Amino acid sequence: MSADTVRFSEERLAEIAELVKRYPGPQSALMPVLYMAQEDFGYISMDAQKMIAEVLGLRLMQVREVVTFYTMFKEQPTGKYLLEVCTNAGCMLNGAYELADHMCGTLGIRMGETTPDGLFTIAEVECAGACGGAPVVQVNNIYHEKATPASMDALITQVRADGGVE
């Protein structure tokens, strides 16, 4: 994605202008605008971050601070199915690392990688906030609590059988 191709549509810019009016300052609209960018472009590249800073009249570092802090913002393309394994204390104590290792083996990739067919990316996240359901795997923002190797194998098999259709 180059700087030339990273542009919000005129409709999106109008939506952002209306959004900014609801807040005391443009920085307050940053998170919703980041969500818009991720929706429009699939991820938030450095070029997209520069464009967002320009659109909102912010410094690039202000945008970077938010993008790099929150795990829901992606700076690289991901597979169609993003498998986020929580490895914080509760999940770790309930087998998250073993589950992640199993999933990586099943998919034939390492943590942070995407399968060659572009269907799956596996990532480690610090906390899913669902300790009571540990271990937790978030799949495209849907929580799978008390995840097991068998339940994740079933999900992966089903997605592949369906041809990656949601």
Side-chain angles (χ1 to χ4, degrees), residues 28-49:
S28 300
L30 179 55
M31 286 190 62
V33 172
L34 288 169
Y35 277 116
M36 292 174 183
Q38 190 157 279
E39 180 181 313
D40 290 355
F41 309 120
Y43 64 102
I44 307 170
S45 67
M46 184 57 74
D47 288 335
Q49 292 174 53

Side-chain angles (χ1 to χ4, degrees), residues 29 43 74 95 143 166:
Y43 64 102
K74 306 301 174 208
Y143 279 35
E166 294 181 53

Side-chain angles (χ1 to χ4, degrees), residues 72-90:
M72 69 273 216
F73 297 124
K74 306 301 174 208
E75 293 187 86
Q76 301 294 322
T78 62
K80 186 172 183 177
Y81 293 88
L82 178 58
L83 312 173
E84 296 177 293
V85 182
C86 175
T87 56
N88 207 323

Side-chain angles (χ1 to χ4, degrees), residues 3-163:
D4 296 333
T5 60
V6 181
R7 296 279 177 245
F8 282 126
S9 68
E10 291 302 318
E11 295 80 17
R12 189 61 101 178
L13 288 171
E15 186 179 351
I16 291 168
E18 286 301 312
L19 179 70
V20 168
K21 290 179 187 177
R22 290 189 243 156
Y23 292 102
Q27 186 169 358
S28 300
L30 179 55
M31 286 190 62
V33 172
L34 288 169
Y35 277 116
M36 292 174 183
Q38 190 157 279
E39 180 181 313
D40 290 355
F41 309 120
Y43 64 102
I44 307 170
S45 67
M46 184 57 74
D47 288 335
Q49 292 174 53
K50 290 175 184 175
M51 184 258 314
I52 291 164
E54 184 179 312
V55 166
L56 293 177
L58 302 174
R59 293 184 333 271
L60 175 60
M61 184 50 69
Q62 291 173 290
V63 175
R64 298 264 322 126
E65 288 170 343
V66 175
V67 170
T68 59
F69 180 79
Y70 292 102
T71 61
M72 69 273 216
F73 297 124
K74 306 301 174 208
E75 293 187 86
Q76 301 294 322
T78 62
K80 186 172 183 177
Y81 293 88
L82 178 58
L83 312 173
E84 296 177 293
V85 182
C86 175
T87 56
N88 207 323
C91 288
M92 176 192 61
L93 292 172
N94 284 285
Y97 283 117
E98 295 80 4
L99 178 61
D101 288 344
H102 175 83
M103 292 168 64
C104 285
T106 298
L107 295 169
I109 58 175
R110 292 186 303 245
M111 190 62 69
E113 292 183 340
T114 301
T115 55
D117 61 8
L119 274 180
F120 300 100
T121 299
I122 187 163
E124 181 177 350
V125 294
E126 179 57 28
C127 183
C131 300
V136 175
V137 178
Q138 189 173 325
V139 181
N140 293 356
N141 300 318
I142 297 171
Y143 279 35
H144 295 263
E145 297 183 1
K146 303 216 183 281
T148 64
S151 68
M152 291 296 100
D153 286 351
L155 182 139
I156 291 166
T157 299
Q158 186 61 52
V159 166
R160 285 190 168 143
D162 292 343

